[in-house]
Every structure is written in structure tokens, then in C-alpha cells.
């Protein structure tokens, strides 16, 4: 029995490949896990993305002569029950590295063993996992650059630069047949309402992933430059597909290496490959340091006293709704709320603003991203937020504090991105759009922009909030707040 999870595809699927190679008859199942779905918003783009992608998976398996069994249940209970019902000898799946998933899989494996069945899991969502890339002293890395160098050295050593893919159609005749593609539960049956995914340019399933991949390849060589500008079509936009496994990480790394080795990838291919390696790095960090899911990687940073109380709550709400008075931050948050996507440069800007301008605990922002990002991945999201908070491994120094205004002027110089998500500011000049509070009364009047109180509400009717905080003053407070991490003998309250 092959259990599909974060790998909703047929092409280059490790567990499916091994099951077909090892077995005489292979059943396939996807579980809409009630234990996971219970914590999602009732209108969730990810659920709609998954429904469409699982539907395509079912069709692909049917075309190969097999059938996808689809259930809505608690997976920890349903998988052992289904294995018994089908009388299979083993359950195959691809490995997951999140603490809750590890606990779930351990429970399933124990239940299977008690019933005389085997559990086999495989590496699939990363290139290297667990202890495959270690320092010379045999310890997990905590700094990215030496990890990356060791990662690349091992990849070249293991593969010679030609990353192999797993064939799944060699033994497709061993798939257990079905009369028709499986009927999926409806959105309503799963307890959800329609999101706005259908109105967004987000192609689903493995065909959607291949579409985005093919569109990105001509842009790969320029990625090193274009990736930093949110108003430019620079990224691959494949993050949600990597999250749900509708595309193989091996396929992407294989193409990046080929572009580098051929000399046709420019600077972009190496930079893009580095970004893919960050995924492995953060996955490895979470696996070896599961406390990071709730606490700082660096224990001393748990001593920081964050802003709290009604004013902090109001500031956090203003950040969530994109009404901080800083246009680039607000446009980034509007993009997230409207589409479930945020450009990577803006993830850093928005996170640093919440943490180091507003003084709010990074975990609040991390949880908000977890709820709203289409591509939410615990390891990468946690790693990114701890990088911004300076509390993580290989994080930015605590005294490095992004200036949201200079970030705006540098990476959205003509205001194209801001105008897209803050149309009320569209008529401001390229100079004034980054800091409307600095614009002259005449410029504001001519642009039809009225500035309101910092927490007065949305910008409907061309009312845009004044800055919720002044950056220079906030920077001084942040340096004071973070001084605790320099204290001699600083350690977390629990002694870590």
C-alpha cells in the first residue's frame, strides 16, 4: 500500500517506484487527514489546491491501470485499518520530517508491526536528509555556507552531477486496478467553503507544476538579479508545488546542475540551486532540533521580552491587515491575504518590520504566515522567521535591522508592486509612494490621498494610515530589547 502525502504526483516518486519494484500488487491511497484539516481556516486555498491536485493524481494512476483510494479520516488510524482490509504485507510512503508527522508515522508503524505488516519510508522531498550531510566532526551543521559546500560535494560524489530520477511506469502493471478514477470527497464533505483559488493564476497538480517549470527555465539565467524585485516576474513560483510534492525536487536540482555545467545558466542557476539547498538545510535543522518549532534555536533569545498588551495587539492586527503606514510592508501583507503568496524579499521585509520595528514576538508572525501561505512548510517558515528574529541558526545579526523605506526604494523603485496592492496610492509619484507621510499637501491632494490616524482602519476611500511607528525610534528600542542576548551567561529559562 503506497500512502501519498506530500508527494501528489506519479512522476519520479520514490515510494511508488520502490513499491512497484518490490511487490506483486500495489494499492495507492491518499488520506484527507482530519487531524490536519481540523486546524485549517474554513476557506483555505491549500485545501482547494490539494483537491484539484489529488483529482489529477487519481486520473494519472487510472491511466496507468491503477486506482487511487481516497479517504477522509484520521490517517494514524485509517492506514493500519486499510492495510488490514486490503491484506497487504507492507505500507510504503515518503518520509516527513516535521515533529507531529514523525509522531504520527511512529504510531502507524507500531500498529502495522503489531499486525505483522512492515513499514517502509523513503527520502523524497529533499535531496539529503537526517545525517547524510554532516561536518567533519560528524555533527549536524548550523551554518548554511559550509553545509551547502558539503551538500554540493556529496551530490557530485554520489551522482556525478546527473541526479537520477525514479521510474514508476516500468512495473505499472502491478498497480491494483479499479473500474474508474476514485471519487473525491467534496469540499463541503470535508467541512470547507470555497476559497478564491479559482480566481488566481495558480495552476494545480503536476501538470500545473510542469507548466510553471517550463515557463521559468528561460528566466533561470537572470534569476540572481530578478528574484529580489517583487514587481518583476523573477521567481519560479514553484514553492507551493514543492510543498505538496506535485513536482520532484530531484527534477529541479537536476536541471539546475545541467544549466550550471553547460554554462547556460548564467549566475541565476547557481543562486536558484542555493535556494533549493536552503530547503534541505532547514529541514535538517528541524529534524535535529525539533524544539525550534516552539522555541528559539539560540536559547538566549528566549529571554527577549516582546511587546504585549492592547497596544501590541492593535499593532499586530494593523500588520496583519496591511495598514502599518509603510507601503511596501502593507502591499506585501495585502498580497499574502489576497493570494496566499508573498515574494521572498517581502517575507524578509515584513517579518523584520513586525519583529524589529513593532517589537512583536516572531512566533505570532510565524503563526500568521502558517495560516495564510499556500506554500507553508514548517521547517522553511520557522527557519525564515528565526532568521529575521536573529534567533535561528545562521541568522542575520540582531543589530541588522531592515529599514522598510530603503528596502522599498531599492527593490520597488518605481512603485509598481505597491500600486498593484495599494491602488489608493497609485497616483503618487515614484518618490512619494514609498513614504506618503513625507509628501507635500499639494502632492497628496493631487493624488487623491488622505492620510489618517495610524490605526484608524483600511485605506478604503483613499484614506491611508500614517506610520504606526517611526523606524529610527523603533530601531533604538530594538537594540535595547536585544541587549539581553549579550548578557554574560545568558541562557533560556529552561536551561537549554
Amino acid at each position: 500500500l503506497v500512502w501519498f502525502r506530500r508527494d501528489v504526483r506519479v512522476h519520479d516518486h520514490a515510494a511508488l517506484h520502490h513499491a512497484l519494484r518490490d511487490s506483486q500488487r500495489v494499492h495507492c491511497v491518499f488520506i484527507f487527514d482530519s487531524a490536519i484539516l481540523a486546524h485549517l481556516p474554513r476557506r483555505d486555498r491549500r485545501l482547494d489546491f490539494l483537491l484539484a491536485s489529488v483529482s489529477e493524481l487519481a486520473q494519472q494512476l487510472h491511466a496507468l491501470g491503477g486506482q487511487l483510494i481516497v479517504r477522509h479520516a484520521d490517517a494514524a488510524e485509517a492506514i493500519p485499518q486499510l492495510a488490514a482490509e486490503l491484506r497487504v504485507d507492507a505500507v510504503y510512503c515518503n518520509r516527513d520530517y516535521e515533529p507531529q508527522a514523525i509522531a504520527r508515522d511512529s504510531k502507524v508503524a507500531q500498529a502495522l508491526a503489531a499486525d505483522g505488516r512492515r513499514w517502509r519510508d523513503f527520502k523524497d522531498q529533499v535531496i539529503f536528509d537526517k545525517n547524510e550531510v554532516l561536518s567533519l566532526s560528524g555533527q549536524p551543521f548550523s551554518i548554511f555556507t559550509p553545509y551547502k559546500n558539503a551538500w554540493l560535494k556529496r551530490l557530485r560524489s554520489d551522482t556525478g552531477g546527473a541526479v537520477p530520477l525514479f521510474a514508476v511506469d516500468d512495473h505499472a502493471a502491478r498497480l491494483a486496478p479499479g473500474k474508474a478514477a476514485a471519487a473525491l470527497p467534496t469540499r463541503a464533505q470535508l467541512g470547507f467553503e470555497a476559497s478564491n483559488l479559482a480566481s488566481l493564476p495558480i495552476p494545480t497538480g503536476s501538470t500545473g507544476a510542469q507548466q510553471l517549470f517550463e515557463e521559468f527555465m528561460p528566466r533561470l539565467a537572470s534569476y540572481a538579479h530578478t528574484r529580489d524585485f517583487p514587481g518583476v516576474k523573477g521567481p519560479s513560483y514553484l514553492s507551493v508545488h514543492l510543498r505538496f510534492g506535485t513536482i520532484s525536487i530531484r527534477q529541479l536540482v537536476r536541471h539546475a546542475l545541467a544549466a550550471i555545467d553547460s554554462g547556460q545558466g548564467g549566475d541565476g542557476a547557481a543562486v536558484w540551486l542555493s535556494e533549493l539547498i536552503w530547503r534541505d538545510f532547514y529541514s535538517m535543522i528541524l529534524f535535529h532540533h525539533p524544539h525550534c518549532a516552539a522555541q528559539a534555536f539560540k536559547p538566549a533569545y528566549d529571554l527577549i521580552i516582546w511587546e504585549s498588551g492592547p497596544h501590541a495587539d492593535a499593532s499586530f492586527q494593523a500588520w496583519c491587515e496591511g495598514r502599518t503606514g509603510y507601503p511596501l510592508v502593507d502591499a506585501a501583507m495585502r498580497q499574502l491575504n489576497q493570494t496566499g503568496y508573498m515574494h521572498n524579499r517581502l517575507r524578509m521585509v515584513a517579518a523584520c518590520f513586525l519583529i524589529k520595528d513593532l517589537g512583536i514576538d516572531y512566533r505570532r508572525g510565524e503563526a500568521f504566515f502558517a495560516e495564510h501561505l499556500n506554500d507553508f512548510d514548517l521547517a522553511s517558515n520557522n527557519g525564515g522567521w528565526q532568521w529575521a528574529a536573529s534567533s535561528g541558526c545562521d541568522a542575520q545579526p540582531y543589530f541588522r535591522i531592515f529599514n522598510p523605506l530603503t528596502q522599498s526604494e531599492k527593490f520597488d523603485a518605481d512603485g509598481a508592486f505597491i500600486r498593484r496592492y495599494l491602488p489608493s496610492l497609485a497616483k503618487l509619484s515614484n518618490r512619494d509612494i514609498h513614504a506618503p507621510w513625507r509628501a507635500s499637501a499639494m502632492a497628496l491632494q493631487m493624488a487623491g490621498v488622505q492620510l489618517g490616524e495610524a490605526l484608524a482602519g483600511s485605506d478604503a476611500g483613499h484614506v491611508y494610515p500614517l506610520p504606526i511607528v517611526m523606524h529610527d525610534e523603533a530601531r533604538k528600542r530594538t537594540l535595547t530589547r536585544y541587549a539581553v542576548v549579550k548578557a554574560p551567561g545568558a541562557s533560556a529559562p529552561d536551561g537549554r
Side-chain angles (χ1 to χ4, degrees), residues 71-107:
R71 299 278 173 90
H72 174 211
D74 185 326
E77 299 176 356
I79 290 297
Q81 292 172 357
L82 182 60
E85 176 185 326
L86 296 173
R87 301 175 67 183
V88 300
D89 298 307
V91 170
Y92 282 45
C93 69
N94 290 323
R95 208 168 287 143
D96 201 327
Y97 307 96
E98 297 182 1
Q100 290 182 329
I102 291 172
R104 174 202 61 202
D105 290 352
S106 176
K107 180 179 178 181

mmCIF file of all heavy atoms in Angstrom, residues 71-107:
data_model
loop_
_atom_site.group_PDB
_atom_site.id
_atom_site.type_symbol
_atom_site.label_atom_id
_atom_site.label_comp_id
_atom_site.label_asym_id
_atom_site.label_seq_id
_atom_site.Cartn_x
_atom_site.Cartn_y
_atom_site.Cartn_z
ATOM 1 N N ARG A 71 -9.684 8.609 1.152
ATOM 2 C CA ARG A 71 -10.443 8.568 2.395
ATOM 3 C C ARG A 71 -10.360 9.919 3.109
ATOM 4 O O ARG A 71 -9.391 10.661 2.945
ATOM 5 C CB ARG A 71 -9.896 7.483 3.336
ATOM 6 C CG ARG A 71 -9.961 6.062 2.775
ATOM 7 C CD ARG A 71 -11.328 5.448 2.963
ATOM 8 N NE ARG A 71 -11.469 4.161 2.293
ATOM 9 C CZ ARG A 71 -11.188 2.989 2.857
ATOM 10 N NH1 ARG A 71 -10.706 2.944 4.083
ATOM 11 N NH2 ARG A 71 -11.380 1.862 2.202
ATOM 12 N N HIS A 72 -11.369 10.208 3.913
ATOM 13 C CA HIS A 72 -11.349 11.363 4.816
ATOM 14 C C HIS A 72 -11.428 10.783 6.223
ATOM 15 O O HIS A 72 -12.480 10.287 6.655
ATOM 16 C CB HIS A 72 -12.527 12.301 4.537
ATOM 17 C CG HIS A 72 -12.635 13.428 5.509
ATOM 18 N ND1 HIS A 72 -13.852 13.996 5.869
ATOM 19 C CD2 HIS A 72 -11.692 14.107 6.201
ATOM 20 C CE1 HIS A 72 -13.633 14.969 6.746
ATOM 21 N NE2 HIS A 72 -12.340 15.054 6.958
ATOM 22 N N ALA A 73 -10.304 10.805 6.925
ATOM 23 C CA ALA A 73 -10.241 10.139 8.233
ATOM 24 C C ALA A 73 -8.981 10.592 8.957
ATOM 25 O O ALA A 73 -8.163 11.340 8.419
ATOM 26 C CB ALA A 73 -10.221 8.631 8.037
ATOM 27 N N ASP A 74 -8.836 10.116 10.183
ATOM 28 C CA ASP A 74 -7.593 10.292 10.919
ATOM 29 C C ASP A 74 -6.602 9.280 10.355
ATOM 30 O O ASP A 74 -6.768 8.077 10.506
ATOM 31 C CB ASP A 74 -7.829 10.043 12.408
ATOM 32 C CG ASP A 74 -6.591 10.343 13.249
ATOM 33 O OD1 ASP A 74 -5.479 10.111 12.769
ATOM 34 O OD2 ASP A 74 -6.757 10.789 14.409
ATOM 35 N N ALA A 75 -5.571 9.786 9.696
ATOM 36 C CA ALA A 75 -4.652 8.897 8.973
ATOM 37 C C ALA A 75 -3.979 7.897 9.892
ATOM 38 O O ALA A 75 -3.722 6.751 9.487
ATOM 39 C CB ALA A 75 -3.604 9.733 8.241
ATOM 40 N N ALA A 76 -3.674 8.285 11.111
ATOM 41 C CA ALA A 76 -2.987 7.382 12.034
ATOM 42 C C ALA A 76 -3.812 6.123 12.303
ATOM 43 O O ALA A 76 -3.253 5.054 12.592
ATOM 44 C CB ALA A 76 -2.679 8.108 13.341
ATOM 45 N N GLU A 77 -5.110 6.248 12.219
ATOM 46 C CA GLU A 77 -5.987 5.088 12.411
ATOM 47 C C GLU A 77 -6.365 4.437 11.086
ATOM 48 O O GLU A 77 -6.470 3.207 10.987
ATOM 49 C CB GLU A 77 -7.254 5.536 13.149
ATOM 50 C CG GLU A 77 -6.994 6.121 14.532
ATOM 51 C CD GLU A 77 -8.261 6.648 15.186
ATOM 52 O OE1 GLU A 77 -9.323 6.620 14.518
ATOM 53 O OE2 GLU A 77 -8.191 7.089 16.349
ATOM 54 N N ALA A 78 -6.555 5.267 10.050
ATOM 55 C CA ALA A 78 -7.075 4.759 8.784
ATOM 56 C C ALA A 78 -6.071 3.895 8.034
ATOM 57 O O ALA A 78 -6.458 2.919 7.382
ATOM 58 C CB ALA A 78 -7.520 5.934 7.910
ATOM 59 N N ILE A 79 -4.785 4.240 8.097
ATOM 60 C CA ILE A 79 -3.800 3.487 7.323
ATOM 61 C C ILE A 79 -3.671 2.038 7.825
ATOM 62 O O ILE A 79 -3.738 1.097 7.019
ATOM 63 C CB ILE A 79 -2.438 4.207 7.324
ATOM 64 C CG1 ILE A 79 -2.529 5.495 6.492
ATOM 65 C CG2 ILE A 79 -1.337 3.307 6.788
ATOM 66 C CD1 ILE A 79 -2.841 5.275 5.024
ATOM 67 N N PRO A 80 -3.503 1.796 9.125
ATOM 68 C CA PRO A 80 -3.459 0.397 9.576
ATOM 69 C C PRO A 80 -4.748 -0.359 9.254
ATOM 70 O O PRO A 80 -4.709 -1.556 8.905
ATOM 71 C CB PRO A 80 -3.237 0.516 11.089
ATOM 72 C CG PRO A 80 -2.568 1.850 11.266
ATOM 73 C CD PRO A 80 -3.202 2.723 10.236
ATOM 74 N N GLN A 81 -5.892 0.324 9.374
ATOM 75 C CA GLN A 81 -7.172 -0.320 9.069
ATOM 76 C C GLN A 81 -7.253 -0.698 7.595
ATOM 77 O O GLN A 81 -7.680 -1.810 7.254
ATOM 78 C CB GLN A 81 -8.325 0.608 9.447
ATOM 79 C CG GLN A 81 -8.486 0.824 10.949
ATOM 80 C CD GLN A 81 -9.506 1.898 11.280
ATOM 81 O OE1 GLN A 81 -10.081 2.537 10.383
ATOM 82 N NE2 GLN A 81 -9.727 2.134 12.571
ATOM 83 N N LEU A 82 -6.830 0.214 6.720
ATOM 84 C CA LEU A 82 -6.886 -0.056 5.281
ATOM 85 C C LEU A 82 -5.895 -1.159 4.906
ATOM 86 O O LEU A 82 -6.203 -2.012 4.064
ATOM 87 C CB LEU A 82 -6.589 1.220 4.493
ATOM 88 C CG LEU A 82 -6.654 1.100 2.963
ATOM 89 C CD1 LEU A 82 -8.050 0.663 2.510
ATOM 90 C CD2 LEU A 82 -6.274 2.427 2.309
ATOM 91 N N ALA A 83 -4.729 -1.141 5.528
ATOM 92 C CA ALA A 83 -3.743 -2.186 5.258
ATOM 93 C C ALA A 83 -4.300 -3.564 5.607
ATOM 94 O O ALA A 83 -4.089 -4.546 4.876
ATOM 95 C CB ALA A 83 -2.464 -1.917 6.049
ATOM 96 N N ALA A 84 -5.038 -3.643 6.724
ATOM 97 C CA ALA A 84 -5.657 -4.912 7.118
ATOM 98 C C ALA A 84 -6.772 -5.291 6.158
ATOM 99 O O ALA A 84 -6.920 -6.458 5.767
ATOM 100 C CB ALA A 84 -6.187 -4.797 8.544
ATOM 101 N N GLU A 85 -7.560 -4.301 5.768
ATOM 102 C CA GLU A 85 -8.689 -4.537 4.855
ATOM 103 C C GLU A 85 -8.204 -5.079 3.513
ATOM 104 O O GLU A 85 -8.813 -5.987 2.932
ATOM 105 C CB GLU A 85 -9.440 -3.218 4.660
ATOM 106 C CG GLU A 85 -10.585 -3.261 3.670
ATOM 107 C CD GLU A 85 -11.181 -1.882 3.444
ATOM 108 O OE1 GLU A 85 -11.210 -1.075 4.398
ATOM 109 O OE2 GLU A 85 -11.616 -1.599 2.306
ATOM 110 N N LEU A 86 -7.086 -4.534 3.026
ATOM 111 C CA LEU A 86 -6.552 -4.941 1.723
ATOM 112 C C LEU A 86 -5.623 -6.147 1.831
ATOM 113 O O LEU A 86 -5.208 -6.704 0.820
ATOM 114 C CB LEU A 86 -5.785 -3.777 1.086
ATOM 115 C CG LEU A 86 -6.602 -2.534 0.747
ATOM 116 C CD1 LEU A 86 -5.688 -1.400 0.281
ATOM 117 C CD2 LEU A 86 -7.645 -2.844 -0.332
ATOM 118 N N ARG A 87 -5.272 -6.494 3.080
ATOM 119 C CA ARG A 87 -4.401 -7.635 3.364
ATOM 120 C C ARG A 87 -3.031 -7.461 2.696
ATOM 121 O O ARG A 87 -2.463 -8.395 2.130
ATOM 122 C CB ARG A 87 -5.056 -8.939 2.930
ATOM 123 C CG ARG A 87 -6.390 -9.199 3.622
ATOM 124 C CD ARG A 87 -7.072 -10.438 3.097
ATOM 125 N NE ARG A 87 -6.321 -11.651 3.439
ATOM 126 C CZ ARG A 87 -6.670 -12.871 3.052
ATOM 127 N NH1 ARG A 87 -7.760 -13.046 2.300
ATOM 128 N NH2 ARG A 87 -5.935 -13.920 3.400
ATOM 129 N N VAL A 88 -2.511 -6.262 2.765
ATOM 130 C CA VAL A 88 -1.192 -6.004 2.189
ATOM 131 C C VAL A 88 -0.109 -6.414 3.186
ATOM 132 O O VAL A 88 -0.355 -6.525 4.391
ATOM 133 C CB VAL A 88 -1.017 -4.515 1.817
ATOM 134 C CG1 VAL A 88 -2.067 -4.082 0.801
ATOM 135 C CG2 VAL A 88 -1.063 -3.627 3.053
ATOM 136 N N ASP A 89 1.098 -6.631 2.667
ATOM 137 C CA ASP A 89 2.224 -7.017 3.512
ATOM 138 C C ASP A 89 2.953 -5.812 4.084
ATOM 139 O O ASP A 89 3.624 -5.926 5.112
ATOM 140 C CB ASP A 89 3.227 -7.869 2.719
ATOM 141 C CG ASP A 89 2.608 -9.169 2.233
ATOM 142 O OD1 ASP A 89 2.055 -9.896 3.076
ATOM 143 O OD2 ASP A 89 2.655 -9.437 1.022
ATOM 144 N N ALA A 90 2.862 -4.679 3.381
ATOM 145 C CA ALA A 90 3.651 -3.523 3.808
ATOM 146 C C ALA A 90 2.993 -2.222 3.364
ATOM 147 O O ALA A 90 2.235 -2.195 2.386
ATOM 148 C CB ALA A 90 5.068 -3.604 3.245
ATOM 149 N N VAL A 91 3.318 -1.162 4.084
ATOM 150 C CA VAL A 91 2.919 0.199 3.709
ATOM 151 C C VAL A 91 4.180 0.963 3.346
ATOM 152 O O VAL A 91 5.150 0.990 4.113
ATOM 153 C CB VAL A 91 2.171 0.911 4.859
ATOM 154 C CG1 VAL A 91 1.978 2.398 4.538
ATOM 155 C CG2 VAL A 91 0.833 0.236 5.113
ATOM 156 N N TYR A 92 4.160 1.572 2.151
ATOM 157 C CA TYR A 92 5.284 2.376 1.670
ATOM 158 C C TYR A 92 4.853 3.846 1.638
ATOM 159 O O TYR A 92 3.726 4.157 1.257
ATOM 160 C CB TYR A 92 5.688 1.958 0.252
ATOM 161 C CG TYR A 92 6.504 0.698 0.153
ATOM 162 C CD1 TYR A 92 6.175 -0.452 0.861
ATOM 163 C CD2 TYR A 92 7.603 0.638 -0.696
ATOM 164 C CE1 TYR A 92 6.916 -1.612 0.744
ATOM 165 C CE2 TYR A 92 8.350 -0.525 -0.829
ATOM 166 C CZ TYR A 92 7.998 -1.647 -0.105
ATOM 167 O OH TYR A 92 8.733 -2.806 -0.233
ATOM 168 N N CYS A 93 5.764 4.729 2.012
ATOM 169 C CA CYS A 93 5.473 6.159 1.917
ATOM 170 C C CYS A 93 6.784 6.926 1.829
ATOM 171 O O CYS A 93 7.863 6.367 2.039
ATOM 172 C CB CYS A 93 4.645 6.641 3.109
ATOM 173 S SG CYS A 93 5.557 6.632 4.651
ATOM 174 N N ASN A 94 6.674 8.198 1.536
ATOM 175 C CA ASN A 94 7.839 9.077 1.536
ATOM 176 C C ASN A 94 7.936 9.791 2.867
ATOM 177 O O ASN A 94 6.937 10.169 3.467
ATOM 178 C CB ASN A 94 7.759 10.069 0.377
ATOM 179 C CG ASN A 94 7.967 9.390 -0.966
ATOM 180 O OD1 ASN A 94 8.773 8.473 -1.093
ATOM 181 N ND2 ASN A 94 7.217 9.829 -1.974
ATOM 182 N N ARG A 95 9.140 9.979 3.324
ATOM 183 C CA ARG A 95 9.443 10.450 4.667
ATOM 184 C C ARG A 95 8.996 11.896 4.895
ATOM 185 O O ARG A 95 9.087 12.731 4.015
ATOM 186 C CB ARG A 95 10.949 10.321 4.889
ATOM 187 C CG ARG A 95 11.411 10.108 6.291
ATOM 188 C CD ARG A 95 12.884 9.710 6.277
ATOM 189 N NE ARG A 95 13.064 8.331 5.796
ATOM 190 C CZ ARG A 95 14.077 7.946 5.030
ATOM 191 N NH1 ARG A 95 15.003 8.797 4.663
ATOM 192 N NH2 ARG A 95 14.155 6.683 4.647
ATOM 193 N N ASP A 96 8.540 12.167 6.112
ATOM 194 C CA ASP A 96 8.210 13.524 6.552
ATOM 195 C C ASP A 96 9.067 13.827 7.775
ATOM 196 O O ASP A 96 9.342 12.930 8.573
ATOM 197 C CB ASP A 96 6.714 13.632 6.901
ATOM 198 C CG ASP A 96 6.204 15.064 6.860
ATOM 199 O OD1 ASP A 96 7.003 15.979 7.189
ATOM 200 O OD2 ASP A 96 5.026 15.270 6.527
ATOM 201 N N TYR A 97 9.463 15.097 7.935
ATOM 202 C CA TYR A 97 10.441 15.438 8.965
ATOM 203 C C TYR A 97 9.896 16.352 10.056
ATOM 204 O O TYR A 97 10.634 16.754 10.944
ATOM 205 C CB TYR A 97 11.668 16.091 8.304
ATOM 206 C CG TYR A 97 12.227 15.243 7.186
ATOM 207 C CD1 TYR A 97 11.864 15.480 5.866
ATOM 208 C CD2 TYR A 97 13.064 14.171 7.461
ATOM 209 C CE1 TYR A 97 12.346 14.692 4.838
ATOM 210 C CE2 TYR A 97 13.552 13.357 6.437
ATOM 211 C CZ TYR A 97 13.183 13.629 5.125
ATOM 212 O OH TYR A 97 13.647 12.823 4.111
ATOM 213 N N GLU A 98 8.614 16.696 9.981
ATOM 214 C CA GLU A 98 8.033 17.565 10.995
ATOM 215 C C GLU A 98 7.728 16.757 12.254
ATOM 216 O O GLU A 98 7.344 15.584 12.168
ATOM 217 C CB GLU A 98 6.766 18.230 10.463
ATOM 218 C CG GLU A 98 7.032 19.142 9.270
ATOM 219 C CD GLU A 98 5.777 19.840 8.773
ATOM 220 O OE1 GLU A 98 4.693 19.627 9.379
ATOM 221 O OE2 GLU A 98 5.868 20.589 7.789
ATOM 222 N N PRO A 99 7.895 17.345 13.430
ATOM 223 C CA PRO A 99 7.713 16.594 14.680
ATOM 224 C C PRO A 99 6.381 15.854 14.777
ATOM 225 O O PRO A 99 6.350 14.675 15.173
ATOM 226 C CB PRO A 99 7.838 17.678 15.760
ATOM 227 C CG PRO A 99 8.732 18.713 15.145
ATOM 228 C CD PRO A 99 8.366 18.726 13.687
ATOM 229 N N GLN A 100 5.282 16.512 14.423
ATOM 230 C CA GLN A 100 3.978 15.855 14.521
ATOM 231 C C GLN A 100 3.857 14.708 13.531
ATOM 232 O O GLN A 100 3.263 13.667 13.829
ATOM 233 C CB GLN A 100 2.866 16.872 14.314
ATOM 234 C CG GLN A 100 2.722 17.863 15.464
ATOM 235 C CD GLN A 100 1.576 18.826 15.257
ATOM 236 O OE1 GLN A 100 1.237 19.187 14.131
ATOM 237 N NE2 GLN A 100 0.966 19.254 16.352
ATOM 238 N N ALA A 101 4.428 14.910 12.333
ATOM 239 C CA ALA A 101 4.376 13.849 11.332
ATOM 240 C C ALA A 101 5.216 12.653 11.767
ATOM 241 O O ALA A 101 4.832 11.498 11.549
ATOM 242 C CB ALA A 101 4.868 14.385 9.985
ATOM 243 N N ILE A 102 6.358 12.912 12.371
ATOM 244 C CA ILE A 102 7.204 11.826 12.866
ATOM 245 C C ILE A 102 6.465 11.018 13.934
ATOM 246 O O ILE A 102 6.499 9.777 13.942
ATOM 247 C CB ILE A 102 8.526 12.393 13.421
ATOM 248 C CG1 ILE A 102 9.376 12.950 12.274
ATOM 249 C CG2 ILE A 102 9.292 11.328 14.190
ATOM 250 C CD1 ILE A 102 10.614 13.694 12.725
ATOM 251 N N ALA A 103 5.766 11.731 14.833
ATOM 252 C CA ALA A 103 4.999 11.044 15.876
ATOM 253 C C ALA A 103 3.864 10.217 15.268
ATOM 254 O O ALA A 103 3.613 9.074 15.679
ATOM 255 C CB ALA A 103 4.447 12.064 16.864
ATOM 256 N N ARG A 104 3.176 10.787 14.269
ATOM 257 C CA ARG A 104 2.086 10.057 13.598
ATOM 258 C C ARG A 104 2.616 8.810 12.915
ATOM 259 O O ARG A 104 2.049 7.713 13.050
ATOM 260 C CB ARG A 104 1.421 10.979 12.579
ATOM 261 C CG ARG A 104 0.349 10.308 11.702
ATOM 262 C CD ARG A 104 0.143 11.091 10.418
ATOM 263 N NE ARG A 104 1.373 11.136 9.633
ATOM 264 C CZ ARG A 104 1.632 12.072 8.711
ATOM 265 N NH1 ARG A 104 0.757 13.039 8.458
ATOM 266 N NH2 ARG A 104 2.775 12.037 8.027
ATOM 267 N N ASP A 105 3.719 8.948 12.195
ATOM 268 C CA ASP A 105 4.260 7.824 11.451
ATOM 269 C C ASP A 105 4.763 6.726 12.386
ATOM 270 O O ASP A 105 4.655 5.530 12.075
ATOM 271 C CB ASP A 105 5.395 8.302 10.539
ATOM 272 C CG ASP A 105 4.881 9.153 9.380
ATOM 273 O OD1 ASP A 105 3.648 9.236 9.217
ATOM 274 O OD2 ASP A 105 5.711 9.738 8.658
ATOM 275 N N SER A 106 5.301 7.129 13.531
ATOM 276 C CA SER A 106 5.734 6.133 14.519
ATOM 277 C C SER A 106 4.538 5.333 15.024
ATOM 278 O O SER A 106 4.619 4.098 15.189
ATOM 279 C CB SER A 106 6.443 6.837 15.676
ATOM 280 O OG SER A 106 6.799 5.922 16.677
ATOM 281 N N LYS A 107 3.431 6.023 15.240
ATOM 282 C CA LYS A 107 2.208 5.355 15.707
ATOM 283 C C LYS A 107 1.702 4.372 14.653
ATOM 284 O O LYS A 107 1.303 3.239 14.972
ATOM 285 C CB LYS A 107 1.138 6.401 16.014
ATOM 286 C CG LYS A 107 -0.173 5.834 16.508
ATOM 287 C CD LYS A 107 -1.177 6.953 16.808
ATOM 288 C CE LYS A 107 -2.513 6.390 17.269
ATOM 289 N NZ LYS A 107 -3.500 7.486 17.539
#
